[in-house]
Amino acid sequence: MQNKAFTFKLSDEGYYELLKNMPYFRKVYFFGNIGLGVITTVLFLYWNHEFQESASTPSPVMFAFISQVMFPALLAFGLSLVVHLVLYFYFRFRIHASLKKSARRLKEKYQPANGEEYKIVFDQDQNAFLLGNRQHGIGQNLKVVSTSRHLLFYDGDGKSQEKFYIPKDGGKEHQEDVACISVYLEKSSAVQYKEKEKDW
């Protein structure tokens, strides 16, 4: 395969998707959802107990079961569900806003002067991607996520890992080069390549 050059305009959307699919962030998001589930469960158990205590009045067996068990449980479940949804959408909004802000900062950081197009070169001899003064060799630390709109690259581990992206949209030659490099990376045993079908 010959050397490939990818020239494109940097975008907030590209960096947003790059940050959103970052392995470190995905782990944080996953454990955040677990924490939210635990909070909801604790609230349900607490409210269910409180409502059953307040509803414990002498009554026929059937009505006692409905009034002292089923109704408090449904009420506790309903309240817990409302709290869960409110917290879930609140945190999603906060995460979305934070990622948007970070994406804008990254774009401003790497945006060439005078609004020129950004250039990434894949050097076959060095087996590496060249981004100005930065170089990312193909190795075990390189993770690639392919989405419907971008190829996302993550080099290293943790929050501080290096990252960049290549958009799939562009001219015919650009799209052919993206398809070519995608096949090359997917077949490479030195790269952790993942095709992402669904967004979250």
Side-chain angles (χ1 to χ4, degrees), residues 127-184:
N127 202 29
F129 288 93
L130 309 178
L131 299 78
N133 296 326
R134 295 187 294 159
Q135 177 175 321
H136 299 281
I138 291 182
Q140 291 299 327
N141 283 334
L142 185 65
K143 301 176 181 67
V144 181
V145 178
S146 176
T147 69
S148 59
R149 293 177 295 180
H150 302 93
L151 279 179
L152 311 173
F153 298 83
Y154 305 94
D155 192 3
D157 296 308
K159 187 177 180 180
S160 60
Q161 66 185 173
E162 292 288 330
K163 47 196 170 291
F164 62 97
Y165 76 93
I166 297 175
K168 291 184 175 180
D169 289 338
K172 183 179 179 181
E173 184 178 352
H174 176 86
Q175 292 183 25
E176 289 175 351
D177 287 345
V178 169
C180 183
I181 199 68
S182 296
V183 172
Y184 177 79

Side-chain angles (χ1 to χ4, degrees), residues 5 13 19 32 42 62 85 92-93 112 118 120 136-137 143 163 177 188 194 196:
E13 292 75 18
L19 291 171
V42 170
M62 179 60 71
L85 291 175
R92 273 191 71 100
F93 171 78
Y118 193 70
I120 296 176
H136 299 281
K143 301 176 181 67
K163 47 196 170 291
D177 287 345
S188 174
K194 178 182 178 183
K196 190 169 183 293

